Amino acid sequence: MHEDVLDPGRAAAAGAALGQLACAPPERGLLISTSRLVEFNVRATVLLAPGLFRLDLTPQEETLGVLTRPLTSHPVRWRAEQSTWDGYRDAGGVAPLELHALFELPDGPLTAWLHILSFTDRDAAAVHFVAKAELRVPAP
Amino acid sequence: MRRVSFRVPAEEKEELLDALMPLLPAGVREGAAERGEIELTTVAAAAPERGLLEAAAGRTLAGWREEEVPADWRARRARFGGGAFLVAGRVLVRAPWDPAPSDPAVLDLVLERGGGGFGSGSHPTTRMCLALLLELEPRGAAADLGCGLGTLAIAAARLGWAPVVAVDRMDGAVAAARANGERNGVEVDWRVGDLEADPVPLAELILVNAPPPVQARVAAALGDAAPGDAAPGGGATVRHVVASGVVPGELAAVVDGYAAAGWAVTERREADGWAAARLEPAGA
């Protein structure tokens, strides 16, 4: 199970149309990285970890819709660093968003740390997203 | 730019999107459900291959339509809509490039975004405040505290509340709100002020789409006058408070603050993780 979901080749292939990059970090795990320009009111997949989750973002002028779609039937718990969310409406800067997940897989847990930067371009009615996900097997 | 639209059964939408989203880097715009189906639209420099999407979905994508559309999003919005918000079927909040309402009975609020101001109508709190405002008989003055782009103040003025005062701490927002007021032909006393520190203007109707600290200051200002009595200084008899800008978990504390001043909730709304309430003098 871990071998499948941490396979960078699989992640890169699944996210190929999205321009998603994937690689294995020095320690065991998976890094996926991408960027996307999304128009207001459009739902776009920003990160795709096959067999684990898909992150869809729907930017609006004053709110950001965040959907973590599970791609596994195994339990997963998500939490957000809510203190970092207030910058979304501020078009003058880059707003960071952090999400953490814990996947309870049959061969042991897997953690995910998602870091998403957004920059709202109101003149273009769109938001630039730069996102990465780090998937790791936690130390016992 | 190519615009492609097709319909999927509403109850299967998420499962189909599991297959389709990885193939649609420009994403999808979701239409409203009609007769059990949802229209999905994508706009990109090159149209996605229908065969590829249908193979991924494992089904025919009904109503497939492909057309050339303007690259400029304003031109696309003018043609297809999608940026305006209809509240309670009575008020349309839109940008200048969005289509005007076809029903002359709908109140048409035209707002230019700018100045970092809040209140374009895209946020649930703005829409809930408008809905709660629409249920009131216009009678007397109104104060929009934390006015952002001026949406609520302009709506109040258009509905017949007068005079209207509006306050925000952001210079840019007040400048944008003033321009929006002129655009909508209303007279509003636009002011820059810090509602967490400056005196709170009171009126028969108070609209507070603002965070809890501002709500607490408004409640304290109300507490200086008995409910139903004229407020000190301004001479207004406050009759209604429409409060939002808070999440459901914050609303209880906000309501407690107003209750301490003698006010009670008469209407409560929740939408998309946000809360709003209308308050009147307790026992009124």
Side-chain angles (χ1 to χ4, degrees), chain B residues 125-206:
Chain B
T125 57
T126 307
R127 298 200 292 269
M128 287 190 290
C129 285
L130 279 171
L132 291 168
L133 166 63
L134 284 170
E135 294 171 356
L136 298 173
E137 184 71 27
R139 189 161 61 110
D144 181 356
L145 307 180
C147 66
L149 298 172
T151 311
L152 300 180
I154 293 167
R158 292 282 303 275
L159 289 166
W161 297 87
V164 178
V165 61
V167 183
D168 200 283
R169 66 183 170 85
M170 297 172 65
D171 293 353
V174 172
R178 183 175 287 111
N180 281 328
E182 291 170 3
R183 184 172 285 110
N184 287 273
V186 296
E187 283 194 19
V188 173
D189 177 6
W190 303 105
R191 301 179 189 172
V192 176
D194 182 357
L195 291 164
E196 293 188 42
D198 297 338
V200 176
L202 298 177
E204 277 84 349
L205 167 65
I206 297 180

Side-chain angles (χ1 to χ4, degrees), chain B residues 5-53:
Chain B
S5 58
F6 53 88
R7 299 191 307 272
V8 299
E11 59 189 22
E12 298 173 35
K13 183 195 73 176
E14 288 303 324
E15 287 69 28
L16 287 168
L17 286 178
D18 285 344
L20 299 176
M21 290 299 273
L23 301 174
L24 296 170
V28 296
R29 195 181 295 265
E30 300 179 25
E34 280 185 40
R35 293 187 291 277
E37 290 188 318
I38 288 180
E39 185 181 64
L40 301 177
T41 304
T42 186
V43 175
E49 280 185 43
R50 180 175 185 175
L52 197 64
L53 294 187

